[in-house]
Amino acid sequence: MDAKISAFRESFKRLLAEVKGEKIAVAGHIRPDGDCVSSQVAAAWLFRLAGAEKVVCVNSHEVPYLYRPFICGEAFENADAFDVSAYKIVTVDCADYARAGESLKQRKPEVLACIDHHVSNSPYAEINIVDPSSCATAALLAELMTDSGIEIPPEIASVLYVGEMADTRQLTTSNTDFRAFNVAARLVGLGADPAKISVLLYQREKFGRMKLLARFLQSLTMHFSGRVCAGVLPPGVYAATGSQKEDADGLVDYARNIDGVEIALLLEVLDDGGVKGSLRSKVPEMRVNEIAKAFGGGGHLAAAGFSVKTPLDEFYPRLLDVVESRLKAFDAEFSK
Ligand SMILES: [Mn+2]
């Protein structure tokens, strides 16, 4: 067991004691991804096991199509509409509480616990179980449960495995280490079926998403001698391609996968004229989270995001300036 996990043992024990007899809302982040949904489902199961009176999962956006086979019958409520007044909040995979939704934060400012692995997390809950060295919140949850001697049934082991696979792109991201493989192996030992899960996750592409991908690829532009590749999703692109917002997840990877590209950008022009940006790099040393930070965003070293209200044509040159200084800083630090 990782030494880090034993450091959380007391907090985890306290959390399980605190949920007993309570109504708990497990909140995930906006535009939930696989790690978020899986962590919510597993945490809901765990809190019920620990004696919570009632548990619901709340999100500002719907569970993506890909992850619906893994929700184990959990009811996911809309975080902006659900009456949380009688509930205590536990967030999972949320670097800050606002990520769970502004309206939830306003209506219920107190957070009982936060379980997360984002490097940008600054503690905002009563009980903070935050481990940036963990590859996924789902992996962290799996370790916490195992460390406490909780028996994870095959259904929940599969859910946790899905979360870990989603966040590590099938155990290939820069934060995939021995510990990550160890957790995955244990989850397989507990009944997660890699082949079956892989078909459900990676062989169910929707036609609309493929059309959206085609549009994104068509828009790709190279900058800084091919070191940076950026693509744009214009307003109305989802309707035009028969896709949905959630289908944009992962598109930026195609830009990053190009030979020679060190930083990839997906810029989505929102209906209100603002821009939502996703950043990826091949190596964590590129620290794209610093680019995101310059625009009020954040995230991981090799995967980050931001949102700005500025129109794209006005924003684009400023973005390229920041990207260029990051490239220069990277070159200075690692002089090629
Ligand atoms: Mn995550």
Side-chain angles (χ1 to χ4, degrees):
M1 185 59 59
D2 191 83
K4 250 310 185 0
I5 294 305
S6 48
F8 295 124
R9 198 173 287 155
E10 283 313 307
S11 310
F12 188 61
K13 217 187 244 174
R14 192 182 144 208
L15 170 59
L16 296 188
E18 295 268 357
V19 300
K20 204 170 176 183
E22 299 287 346
K23 291 190 167 99
I24 305 292
V26 183
H29 56 74
I30 48 170
R31 295 176 75 155
D33 57 17
D35 189 28
C36 172
V37 171
S38 299
S39 299
Q40 284 182 277
V41 170
W45 171 83
L46 173 71
F47 296 155
R48 237 173 253 123
L49 181 80
E53 187 199 320
K54 199 167 183 215
V55 187
V56 292
C57 295
V58 295
N59 283 83
S60 293
H61 298 114
E62 270 183 32
V63 172
Y65 154 89
L66 262 190
Y67 305 114
R68 278 177 215 148
F70 306 103
I71 60 171
C72 299
E74 284 299 333
F76 275 77
E77 301 285 349
N78 185 299
D80 305 317
F82 189 74
D83 181 6
V84 285
S85 49
Y87 286 77
K88 291 197 169 176
I89 307 285
V90 176
T91 66
V92 292
D93 208 39
C94 293
D96 65 79
Y97 189 23
R99 287 276 292 154
E102 280 297 345
S103 121
L104 183 67
K105 189 180 171 181
Q106 272 167 23
R107 285 177 295 131
K108 195 88 185 182
E110 318 79 28
V111 180
L112 170 62
C114 154
I115 305 172
D116 185 32
H117 72 125
H118 287 92
V119 70
S120 54
N121 188 301
S122 53
Y124 56 85
E126 215 179 302
I127 302 169
N128 297 283
I129 302 177
V130 179
D131 181 7
S133 67
S134 182
C135 66
T137 299
L140 176 60
L141 265 170
E143 289 179 300
L144 291 165
M145 290 191 218
T146 316
D147 180 65
S148 299
I150 292 164
E151 255 179 67
I152 304 175
E155 203 185 16
I156 297 301
S158 301
V159 164
L160 291 166
Y161 180 88
V162 165
E164 186 178 344
M165 290 306 120
D167 247 29
T168 61
R169 302 254 172 245
Q170 306 181 75
L171 298 169
T172 59
T173 52
S174 56
N175 56 2
T176 303
D177 50 11
F178 176 78
R179 194 176 147 198
F181 271 91
N182 206 354
V183 178
R186 256 186 283 147
L187 291 171
V188 171
L190 290 165
D193 184 331
K196 265 191 196 158
I197 289 171
S198 164
V199 170
L200 288 170
L201 285 181
Y202 304 108
Q203 294 175 32
R204 286 195 305 132
E205 286 289 5
K206 291 187 289 180
F207 188 60
R209 183 172 188 273
M210 288 292 108
K211 302 284 275 184
L212 182 72
L213 171 62
R215 289 285 294 269
F216 176 67
L217 295 179
Q218 203 79 55
S219 77
L220 294 181
T221 310
M222 291 292 195
H223 299 281
F224 307 114
S225 315
R227 298 180 72 187
V228 176
C229 181
V232 176
L233 292 179
V237 73
Y238 298 113
T241 52
S243 61
Q244 287 163 300
K245 253 184 186 312
E246 65 185 52
D247 294 324
D249 286 344
L251 291 191
V252 66
D253 294 340
Y254 288 88
R256 185 209 51 202
N257 292 351
I258 298 167
D259 189 22
V261 168
E262 294 169 68
I263 297 176
L265 288 150
L266 183 153
L267 301 167
E268 181 184 343
V269 179
L270 305 172
D271 291 337
D272 66 2
V275 177
K276 182 185 174 283
S278 299
L279 290 146
R280 295 289 183 278
S281 61
K282 279 195 171 82
V283 295
E285 291 80 6
M286 189 56 82
R287 298 205 295 269
V288 290
N289 61 326
E290 290 187 13
I291 301 171
K293 216 194 278 172
F295 301 106
H300 301 285
L301 297 171
F306 60 85
S307 284
V308 292
K309 301 252 181 265
T310 327
L312 184 64
D313 50 351
E314 203 179 302
F315 172 66
Y316 208 81
R318 282 170 48 203
L319 174 64
L320 289 182
D321 281 349
V322 174
V323 169
E324 188 178 22
S325 4
R326 185 81 276 282
L327 282 176
K328 282 184 177 156
F330 173 83
D331 290 346
E333 198 177 341
F334 300 98
S335 64
K336 304 209 280 185

